[in-house]
Amino acid sequence: MITSNMAENESVECITEHERILQEIESTDTACVGPTLRSVYDDQPHAHKRFMEKLEVRIRNHDREIEKMCNFHHQGFVDAITELLKVRADAEKLMGQVTDTNRRLQDAGREVTAQTEEVIRCRIQQRNMATTVERLQLCLPVLGMYSKLKEQLESKRYYAALKTMEQLEKVYIPRVSRYRFCQIMAENLPKLREDIKDISMSDLKDFLESIRKHSDKIGETAMKQAQQHRTFNSSVQKRDSSVGDTKPVYSLNGRTPTQHNGLAAEEGGEEDQSEEEVLTAQDLVDFSPVYRCLHIYTVLGDRETFENYYRKQRKKQARLVLQPQSNMQETVEGYRRYLNQIVGFFLVEDHVLHSTQGLLTRAFSDELWNMALSKITAVLRTHSSYCSDPDLVLELKNLIVIFADTLQGYGYPVNRLFDLLFEIRDQYNETLLKKWALVFREIFELDNYSPIPVETEEEYKSVVNRFPFHDAEIEKQAFPKKLPMSQSVPQIYVQVKEFIYASLKFSESLHRSWTEIDDMLRKSTNLLLTRTLSGCLQNLIKKPHIGLTELVQIIINTTHLEQACKYLEDFITNITNVSPETVHTTRLYGLSTFKDARHAAEGEIYTKLNQKIDEFIQLADYDWGMPESDGQASGYLMDLINFLRSTFQVFTHLPGKVAQTACMSACKHLSTSLMQMLLDSELKQISMGAVQQFNLDVIQCELFASSEPVPGFQGDTLQLAFIDLRQLLDLFMVWDWSTYLADYGQPTSKYLRVNPSTALALLEK
């Protein structure tokens, strides 16, 4: 019972579950039926069979319901089909009408569609154009700036081009950086910068080459201006010195006062300045490449590279400029061209130094100038040493002074150049001395060594104006008359003054005081007198063709030149206005020069007199074996005495002591020569007749001595020159040997001057 109840309960539950499953199948989407059906097989065994049975029952129920429904609606369906068949014909008719209407509608709308599409296309184009215009408005400034950049590059406005590039990179390109052309533009800008650097550097190289070529012209212009300014100052100083008693004052003025020194012009100096336009370095050379390149490298952040390059190149150019030509010393133009180039170089440096900030520094400029100054002084010292023409040396000095004044006006120290001028001054004096040595030699060669004849008062004044000669006795004489000195004296005096003028030309403009100039003039004049003129006089005196008459005239000439030395000192004093009483004033040594020359001439007179006497003695032709004398003196001796008489008559213009010394020397030499003739070793035998003849000749000599050929001898002083011969001849003529032997050695001996050996030698002959 219980089992049957349980079975019934299970059966009821199973039926209920199957109902639920069927409801799910009916209500669930067929895609989700799988899990529901799986639950049928998962339940009790044989449950699916009962489910199938239940399913079949459900299907049959549904079929009966469908059948009932179809039976209920069949008539209506039939009616509907009948109505549908009726509507079919109308539908086909309607379909034809609709198709026709559609065709006509399509035909009518095709034109509208085309117009609509055109409108759409225009609207798209309009929108694109608006977008394009908007984009172009953004791009046009970029393109405009780039076009401006190209124009600036074509017109070589590189600094402005760099500024434009900077604006493009920082302002314009970032706005339209998404466009390809902007990217290309941005990539091209660095290359353009490099091109600008290369072009500006090329322009700089052209500039450096240009200034190297124009340095000569720049320097020439600057030195001309300095010369004009110095000439103007000199004229002002001369005018001021003529008004007052002040001495000339030399100042260093390389620049014009208004342009460089800022000094006020004196008393309308501006009106007196040259009306010509003052040319400067920037007037002759375009400095824009330097400024442009400097700005470009500064903008590009590479200024230091540019500065180093510029300084290095200028140093190289300085070395080229400082290299002289091999034959520079031959003409002044060579020196002028050399100095012009240096002035032009440093004027450019000065302009760049003051017109740029930092490209050049004062330290670099000073270093370059010191290097150049060492080279300049060495070159000028070397080349000037080859100059033998004083005019060329003087022109070189003037060039160096203008060169120094010009550069000093621009702030360059030039003391070493003036030190060099002092060295060149010594060389200049040497060349002057050589030149004047030739002048003196020519004067001496052309002189006739005879007193100057003057026929008229005009001729006399002409000589006196050239030479300070004053003699009251000669002035009282009537014309024609003769002046004691020869033509060479006034010529020598004039040439000494010319030498002083020539020496003064070099001493001027050296920026030295007149005391120093006075000392220079006196020292150079002393060299002229003591070395050059003295040497010429000494050589003149030693020349073979200079005879006794010429020597006498030379002594007279030197006497007058010696007296004129004080006038030379006054001449220098008048030039320099320095009192000769100044402590440091150098005295002229002309007195000693002419005294030495006179002494040399006197000695040469004594020598030539003795030589002339020897020439006459060589003409002696004694017959040493003659039995008796001819009764008259020998012819050669009489000629000799006549010669001596005429010669000593010329000596009347000589100082008394000189004439007396010459006469005494001649008589002593004659006495000695006659004594040597008697004692000649080749003479082996002498007859008493020959001794008597020789005695006659000695008597003539004694008569000559007693006739006082030169005034001023006291008593028989001149006769004593023949005393040795006289006592010797008396001993042999009288044959007074007993007295000689008896009185030998006694101070009162009659034959005191007879030497025993001499007497014995003559006795043997």
Side-chain angles (χ1 to χ4, degrees), residues 59-120:
I59 292 171
R60 285 195 296 271
N61 289 335
H62 281 299
D63 287 340
R64 284 194 295 272
E65 289 178 0
I66 292 170
E67 185 177 354
K68 288 179 180 180
M69 187 176 293
C70 286
N71 290 330
F72 178 75
H73 292 289
H74 177 70
Q75 188 60 40
F77 176 73
V78 172
D79 294 337
I81 290 300
T82 302
E83 289 291 331
L84 184 60
L85 289 175
K86 293 178 179 180
V87 172
R88 181 177 181 180
D90 294 335
E92 290 178 355
K93 182 180 180 182
L94 180 60
M95 185 63 181
Q97 294 176 351
V98 169
T99 300
D100 183 60
T101 301
N102 180 59
R103 179 182 56 77
R104 286 187 283 111
L105 181 61
Q106 290 297 327
D107 293 339
R110 187 174 291 111
E111 184 177 353
V112 175
T113 301
Q115 292 178 355
T116 302
E117 289 177 354
E118 182 67 21
V119 170
I120 293 172

Side-chain angles (χ1 to χ4, degrees), residues 616-664:
F616 280 101
I617 294 295
Q618 290 176 2
L619 297 176
D621 188 18
Y622 286 103
D623 182 6
W624 297 108
M626 62 171 38
E628 60 183 19
S629 67
D630 295 336
Q632 59 183 3
S634 302
Y636 85 91
L637 188 68
M638 296 306 297
D639 293 339
L640 173 58
I641 291 175
N642 292 331
F643 165 76
L644 291 176
R645 288 186 187 278
S646 62
T647 299
F648 291 140
Q649 286 178 358
V650 178
F651 285 9
T652 55
H653 298 292
L654 288 175
K657 187 177 180 181
V658 176
Q660 293 172 9
T661 304
C663 187
M664 177 60 75

Side-chain angles (χ1 to χ4, degrees), residues 145-326:
M145 291 297 290
Y146 196 77
S147 176
K148 179 181 177 181
L149 172 62
K150 289 294 185 180
E151 291 177 358
Q152 290 170 341
L153 291 175
E154 290 176 359
S155 60
K156 298 183 179 181
R157 296 163 54 205
Y158 301 117
Y159 180 70
L162 289 175
K163 290 297 184 181
T164 303
M165 288 185 196
E166 185 177 359
Q167 290 180 342
L168 278 171
E169 286 183 330
K170 294 182 178 180
V171 179
Y172 293 94
I173 291 181
R175 297 176 183 175
V176 289
S177 58
R178 62 182 177 275
Y179 298 111
R180 187 161 176 254
F181 81 90
C182 289
Q183 296 174 0
I184 296 173
M185 192 181 297
E187 293 172 356
N188 196 34
L189 290 181
K191 181 178 179 300
L192 291 177
R193 282 196 177 92
E194 291 300 321
D195 291 344
I196 290 175
K197 286 180 66 175
D198 295 341
I199 293 172
S200 62
M201 184 57 70
S202 176
D203 290 345
L204 178 67
K205 292 178 180 178
D206 293 340
F207 165 78
L208 292 175
E209 181 66 20
S210 173
I211 60 174
R212 189 179 71 83
K213 294 178 180 178
H214 287 85
S215 292
D216 189 5
K217 183 63 177 177
I218 295 172
E220 179 184 1
T221 303
M223 290 181 69
K224 281 183 179 178
Q225 293 170 3
Q227 173 67 27
Q228 292 171 359
H229 190 63
R230 191 160 68 91
T231 303
F232 171 75
N233 285 344
S234 299
S235 63
V236 171
Q237 290 164 3
K238 288 180 180 178
R239 182 193 64 189
D240 294 342
S241 62
S242 64
V243 173
D245 295 331
T246 57
K247 300 177 184 178
V249 178
Y250 289 86
S251 61
L252 296 176
N253 292 301
R255 303 183 179 191
T256 58
T258 57
Q259 187 175 11
H260 299 290
N261 294 338
L263 300 177
E266 300 182 35
E267 298 181 0
E270 294 181 357
E271 298 177 358
D272 295 335
Q273 293 198 13
S274 174
E275 295 179 357
E276 297 181 0
E277 182 180 358
V278 178
L279 295 177
T280 59
Q282 57 267 34
D283 295 326
L284 299 172
V285 177
D286 180 16
F287 286 89
S288 59
V290 179
Y291 306 143
R292 183 165 55 246
C293 200
L294 175 61
H295 290 321
I296 288 171
Y297 273 77
T298 302
V299 170
L300 296 177
D302 206 8
R303 179 187 177 107
E304 184 177 355
T305 300
F306 172 73
E307 291 178 355
N308 293 335
Y309 175 82
Y310 181 83
R311 295 177 185 180
K312 182 179 179 181
Q313 293 302 313
R314 289 299 280 168
K315 276 189 176 181
K316 288 182 179 179
Q317 286 192 338
R319 293 188 180 95
L320 291 176
V321 168
L322 295 171
Q323 192 67 29
Q325 296 180 352
S326 57

Side-chain angles (χ1 to χ4, degrees), residues 591-607:
L591 298 177
S592 60
T593 297
F594 297 121
K595 283 181 180 179
D596 293 341
R598 189 160 56 252
H599 291 327
E602 292 171 0
E604 193 66 18
I605 285 177
Y606 307 150
T607 302

Side-chain angles (χ1 to χ4, degrees), residues 330-348:
E330 295 179 0
T331 61
V332 70
E333 289 302 321
Y335 289 106
R336 180 177 286 109
R337 192 178 307 109
Y338 177 69
L339 296 179
N340 283 345
Q341 290 177 350
I342 296 174
V343 170
F345 178 88
F346 282 99
L347 259 62
V348 170

Side-chain angles (χ1 to χ4, degrees), residues 555-687:
I555 292 176
I556 296 171
N557 290 347
T558 54
T559 302
H560 287 283
L561 287 172
E562 179 182 346
Q563 295 172 355
C565 282
K566 62 178 181 178
Y567 296 101
L568 289 176
E569 290 202 0
D570 294 340
F571 177 71
I572 296 176
T573 300
N574 291 333
I575 292 176
T576 61
N577 201 22
V578 176
S579 174
E581 283 75 23
T582 305
V583 177
H584 302 290
T585 300
T586 304
R587 310 300 298 180
L588 292 184
Y589 302 144
L591 298 177
S592 60
T593 297
F594 297 121
K595 283 181 180 179
D596 293 341
R598 189 160 56 252
H599 291 327
E602 292 171 0
E604 193 66 18
I605 285 177
Y606 307 150
T607 302
K608 286 188 178 295
L609 268 177
N610 294 340
Q611 291 175 352
K612 202 67 178 178
I613 291 172
D614 292 338
E615 292 176 4
F616 280 101
I617 294 295
Q618 290 176 2
L619 297 176
D621 188 18
Y622 286 103
D623 182 6
W624 297 108
M626 62 171 38
E628 60 183 19
S629 67
D630 295 336
Q632 59 183 3
S634 302
Y636 85 91
L637 188 68
M638 296 306 297
D639 293 339
L640 173 58
I641 291 175
N642 292 331
F643 165 76
L644 291 176
R645 288 186 187 278
S646 62
T647 299
F648 291 140
Q649 286 178 358
V650 178
F651 285 9
T652 55
H653 298 292
L654 288 175
K657 187 177 180 181
V658 176
Q660 293 172 9
T661 304
C663 187
M664 177 60 75
S665 173
C667 291
K668 285 184 177 180
H669 184 72
L670 176 58
S671 175
T672 304
S673 298
L674 292 174
M675 180 69 76
Q676 291 176 352
M677 190 183 299
L678 285 175
L679 301 178
D680 189 3
S681 59
E682 294 182 1
L683 180 60
K684 303 299 183 182
Q685 185 176 5
I686 302 177
S687 65

